[in-house]
Amino acid sequence: MSVPAPSVPAPSIPALAAPSAAGNLSPEADRPSADPDIRHDWTIAEILDLLQTPLLDLLHQAQTLHRRHNPGNHIQLATLLSVKTGGCAENCAYCPQSAHYETPVAKEPTLGVTEVLTQAQAAKDQGATRFCMGWAWREIQDGPAFDAMVAMVEGVKSLGLEACVTAGMLKASQAERLAAAGLTAYNHNLDTSPEYYGEIITTRTYGDRLQTLAHVRQAGMTVCSGGIIGLGETLGDRAQMLQILANLSPHPESVPINTLVAVAGTPLQDQAPVDPLDLVRMCAVARITMPKARVRLSAGRRQLSREAQVLCFMAGANSMFYGDKLLTTDNPDRQQDLELLAAIGAKPLEPFQDLPH
């Protein structure tokens, strides 16, 4: 069955659809790729076709590209710590940290530098090679809290870990300061398509998100950006989100694929669970359209069986969040994850492998 694409004209997203001040996220953007697998001209129709390809054919195509561009059977283990929890001014319909909703997640004191670095060391000792830190902010504000963030980044890098931050929107000057501190990546997800976005968030525009990604790239950091499925979006919305990401030049180095974890008190608390095979398809199409990216299994992995996770790895996922918590939601048991990797013969990826800096 053919699923119509969202009726959003390309000019509505000029930051990513064509080279521009916001769209040229790297000096390399104007140079054509010597690798025919690397494209930045995907259409929504092409991606819809991929999402509806018979699953075994799709897996074969994705695994072929995956092995070509990601040899070694490695999976990155990333740990995510909530530094500032709750009380966020945004109204993201999926988020229990929003101050707009009454949820089980209470506002907590912000963690200090010493505590964060202690947890980073513990994550490293337990096998993580990327340490991600999250702040429930609409945007980064200059001042003591940002100074502490910079110190945390410097400390995490001094431990020999990749450092990633997610803290809402940021200005160009802030991105430059984080880059100077050694930040490996900044995470800022697109969440969904431009057309469906207004059904999920009204306190920040899609253009705001694109501008933050541009600031990240222009500061010389790698981009971590993906989305969420299970929000009530159509297949066309999923296709357009992937199209926007895949037409970034260069591609995001990290692409988290989240499934909604419906939390009581949020507007999406009654959403039906996502079919695991839909997640497999999203991982496969992300791999096909962004062959070198780290496709990361993120929120919702606790609801997956071992077999469903293995299918995601077959589809090209090569990173996962590792540890007891994923911000405020439970994550699979760490020992179970290690046993799963051992069962399939996968090895943890060393830090800074295949990154451009």
Side-chain angles (χ1 to χ4, degrees):
M1 180 179 66
S2 177
V3 179
S7 56
V8 180
S12 68
I13 48 170
L16 299 182
S20 68
N24 265 349
L25 300 187
S26 164
E28 291 78 26
D30 291 329
R31 294 204 292 267
S33 172
D35 188 335
D37 293 337
I38 308 299
R39 292 178 48 190
H40 305 283
D41 60 351
W42 290 93
T43 67
I44 295 174
E46 286 178 303
I47 295 178
L48 270 172
D49 284 345
L50 286 171
L51 285 170
Q52 297 173 99
T53 296
L55 185 59
L56 296 183
D57 293 338
L58 182 65
L59 285 174
H60 176 71
Q61 184 176 349
Q63 181 63 199
T64 299
L65 276 171
H66 179 72
R67 287 177 178 270
R68 187 179 303 160
H69 293 279
N70 302 278
N73 202 23
H74 290 101
I75 294 176
Q76 183 192 57
L77 302 180
T79 293
L80 175 58
L81 174 68
S82 182
V83 178
K84 188 268 182 184
T85 302
C88 183
E90 299 278 20
N91 67 353
C92 307
Y94 52 81
C95 185
Q97 299 199 67
S98 172
H100 294 257
Y101 317 124
E102 292 187 11
T103 74
V105 178
K107 185 175 180 180
E108 299 177 5
T110 302
L111 302 181
V113 175
T114 300
E115 184 172 0
V116 168
L117 296 183
T118 297
Q119 296 211 37
Q121 180 65 61
K124 179 180 179 180
D125 293 344
Q126 292 161 349
T129 58
R130 187 178 182 114
F131 192 72
C132 307
M133 297 164 281
W135 282 257
W137 288 340
R138 181 177 186 271
E139 57 194 335
I140 294 175
Q141 296 290 341
D142 291 318
F146 184 47
D147 295 341
M149 177 190 291
V150 170
M152 292 173 194
V153 169
E154 292 172 340
V156 170
K157 285 300 291 290
S158 73
L159 295 175
L161 294 167
E162 295 179 17
C164 181
V165 160
T166 180
M169 297 180 291
L170 79 167
K171 297 179 291 190
S173 59
Q174 295 166 332
E176 290 168 1
R177 189 174 171 197
L178 287 171
L183 188 64
T184 307
Y186 194 85
N187 166 261
H188 204 56
N189 291 333
L190 297 182
D191 287 348
T192 187
S193 71
E195 184 172 84
Y196 193 61
Y197 182 82
E199 300 295 320
I200 303 300
I201 305 161
T202 62
T203 51
R204 183 194 324 182
T205 70
Y206 213 81
D208 290 334
R209 291 183 180 268
L210 302 181
Q211 188 62 67
T212 289
L213 294 184
H215 288 157
V216 171
R217 186 63 82 191
Q218 289 161 359
M221 295 180 287
T222 67
V223 167
C224 176
S225 188
I228 309 170
I229 62 173
L231 304 175
E233 76 285 346
T234 66
L235 196 62
D237 291 316
R238 295 177 186 179
Q240 191 182 24
M241 180 188 72
L242 287 172
Q243 184 224 18
I244 292 170
L245 292 168
N247 286 352
L248 278 165
S249 184
H251 292 148
E253 286 79 7
S254 178
V255 181
I257 305 294
N258 300 271
T259 55
L260 175 69
V261 177
V263 178
T266 65
L268 298 180
Q269 63 180 6
D270 297 322
Q271 279 295 114
V274 170
D275 185 332
L277 294 184
D278 286 348
L279 176 61
V280 173
R281 288 181 178 277
M282 287 293 290
C283 290
V285 178
R287 172 55 64 219
I288 291 167
T289 56
M290 294 169 276
K292 295 183 178 181
R294 293 178 184 168
V295 177
R296 179 171 296 123
L297 292 182
S298 301
R301 191 166 65 85
R302 194 165 185 264
Q303 283 69 49
L304 298 179
S305 68
R306 281 164 52 99
E307 293 77 13
Q309 293 181 69
V310 171
L311 278 177
C312 289
F313 296 141
M314 281 291 296
N318 61 345
S319 179
M320 65 181 184
F321 278 118
Y322 169 77
D324 297 331
K325 282 282 186 180
L326 188 61
L327 290 180
T328 61
T329 57
D330 290 336
N331 208 39
D333 178 78
R334 184 181 289 108
Q335 186 58 38
Q336 290 179 352
D337 282 341
L338 294 177
E339 290 172 359
L340 175 59
L341 295 186
I344 64 175
K347 300 176 182 178
L349 183 72
E350 292 296 318
F352 311 108
Q353 294 288 309
D354 304 321
L355 287 178
H357 66 281

